[in-house]
């Protein structure tokens, strides 16, 4: 795929390195996120299956795909975890209570990917890098800055993440509050947040990953998103990973705006 800036951050094994969006109306989603984040779009050639990438100042930061008619899954952002060998990861996922879906997909020479479900029923992706290790920029406005996994099966999912990806967890639970923790990759760096969906949450909310995109100021960012047709689900709030807000995009896909706390 030409016209890409492939100078990217280093992504340790098991770290969230990429996100993409599955929607029914791709042009509508492109217009929304272009207006919100300033993204431009690059459609792949036949070698990538026509996979379309969002670019921020020439850096690849996300992907977008059309959801097949009648697909039994909601429109959603998918978080991908970096691995070294897709087949090895697939065997581990299935051995430790998860489930792989379909076959691996190659995005040309950029990567090989696989979609799976963890023991708590949450969809996620696995990313074996080729020429593209992951998002070309992090923590800049309009780019990925954090990921969080919300689950109703906290203990099993935590054990699954340790067994498959080597994630160690630092418990951050506050007295009287729901359980939550920070996952760390093998080098000790924070990778993502893990939060428990407890009995106080509405039953209709499924387990899910939330991709957080950086912004300089949450309130104007939320206002702009609402003007473009988003819905505010939570916030703005001062959370453990920075000032943020959770939104639903044009097809109900959940994402977050976050002023990252990089100290």
């Amino acid at each position: 795929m030409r016209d890409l800036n492939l100078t990217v951050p280093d992504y340790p094994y098991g770290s969230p390195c990429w996100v993409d969006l599955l929607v029914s109306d791709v042009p509508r989603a492109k217009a929304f996120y272009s207006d919100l984040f300033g993204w431009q779009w690059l459609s792949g050639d036949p070698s990538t299956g026509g996979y379309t990438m969002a670019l921020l100042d020439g850096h690849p930061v996300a992907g977008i795909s059309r959801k097949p008619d009648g697909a039994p899954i909601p429109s959603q952002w998918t978080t991908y975890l970096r691995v070294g060998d897709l087949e090895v990861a697939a065997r581990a996922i299935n051995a430790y209570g998860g489930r792989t879906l379909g076959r691996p997909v190659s995005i040309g020479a950029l990567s090989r990917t696989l979609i799976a479900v963890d023991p708590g029923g949450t969809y996620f992706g696995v990313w074996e890098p080729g020429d593209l290790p992951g998002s070309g920029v992090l923590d800049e406005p309009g780019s990925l800055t954090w990921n969080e996994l919300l689950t109703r099966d906290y203990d099993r999912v935590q054990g699954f993440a340790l067994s498959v990806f080597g994630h160690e967890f630092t418990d951050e639970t506050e007295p009287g509050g729901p359980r939550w923790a920070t996952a760390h990759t093998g080098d000790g760096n924070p990778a993502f947040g893990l939060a428990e969906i407890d009995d106080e949450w509405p039953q209709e909310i499924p387990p899910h990953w939330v991709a957080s995109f950086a912004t300089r100021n949450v309130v104007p960012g939320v206002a702009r998103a609402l003007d473009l047709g988003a819905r505010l689900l939570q916030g703005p709030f001062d959370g453990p990973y920075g000032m943020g807000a959770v939104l639903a995009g044009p097809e109900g896909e959940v994402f977050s705006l976050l002023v990252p706390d990089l100290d």
Side-chain angles (χ1 to χ4, degrees):
M1 187 178 285
R2 49 188 182 79
D3 301 329
L4 288 180
N5 185 337
L6 294 179
T7 301
V8 300
D10 178 49
Y11 291 100
Y13 184 90
S15 60
C17 64
W18 186 252
V19 292
D20 65 16
L21 177 62
L22 185 68
V23 287
S24 298
D25 191 338
V26 170
R28 181 187 181 196
K30 283 183 174 180
F32 173 83
Y33 289 100
S34 294
D35 285 344
L36 184 60
F37 294 135
W39 289 351
Q40 297 178 319
W41 301 92
L42 179 64
S43 296
D45 55 32
S47 69
T48 69
Y51 189 75
T52 299
M53 288 191 174
L55 305 182
L56 183 65
D57 298 328
H59 296 276
V61 292
I64 189 169
S65 297
R66 182 181 176 277
K67 184 171 65 173
D69 294 338
I73 56 175
S75 299
Q76 61 187 354
W77 279 101
T78 299
T79 292
Y80 289 80
L81 304 178
R82 191 252 194 225
V83 300
D85 185 302
L86 210 61
E87 281 71 28
V88 171
R91 289 195 293 270
I93 288 167
N94 289 302
Y96 288 103
R99 179 167 52 94
T100 55
L101 304 177
R103 298 179 178 178
V105 174
S106 293
I107 307 176
L110 296 177
S111 73
R112 297 175 67 226
T113 69
L114 184 70
I115 301 299
V117 180
D118 72 21
T122 311
Y123 291 93
F124 69 98
V126 182
W127 185 272
E128 179 190 311
D131 291 341
L132 182 63
S135 179
V137 61
L138 295 173
D139 304 325
E140 297 295 330
S143 71
L144 186 66
T145 187
W146 188 245
N147 302 74
E148 189 166 3
L149 170 56
L150 292 88
T151 182
R152 297 183 185 275
D153 205 343
Y154 188 89
D155 293 317
R156 287 185 68 203
V157 168
Q158 194 175 80
F160 171 81
L162 173 62
S163 299
V164 177
F165 298 105
H167 294 138
E168 299 282 353
F169 289 86
T170 301
D171 182 59
E172 312 276 6
T173 304
E174 298 179 357
R179 290 186 292 176
W180 67 278
T182 300
H184 299 267
T185 49
D187 60 357
N189 282 316
F192 61 88
L194 176 68
E196 183 174 34
I197 301 176
D198 62 17
D199 293 338
E200 294 185 6
W201 288 63
Q203 286 299 312
E204 63 269 19
I205 295 179
H208 59 284
W209 281 88
V210 178
S212 295
F213 298 98
T215 183
R216 288 190 177 88
N217 193 315
V218 168
V219 173
V222 167
R224 180 59 178 160
L226 297 180
D227 286 344
L228 294 170
R231 290 183 292 113
L232 182 63
L233 301 179
Q234 187 181 12
F237 53 81
D238 189 6
Y241 309 112
M243 182 68 69
V246 181
L247 299 139
E251 293 191 13
E253 70 276 10
V254 176
F255 69 100
S256 170
L257 296 179
L258 182 68
V259 179
D261 184 358
L262 301 178
D263 293 336

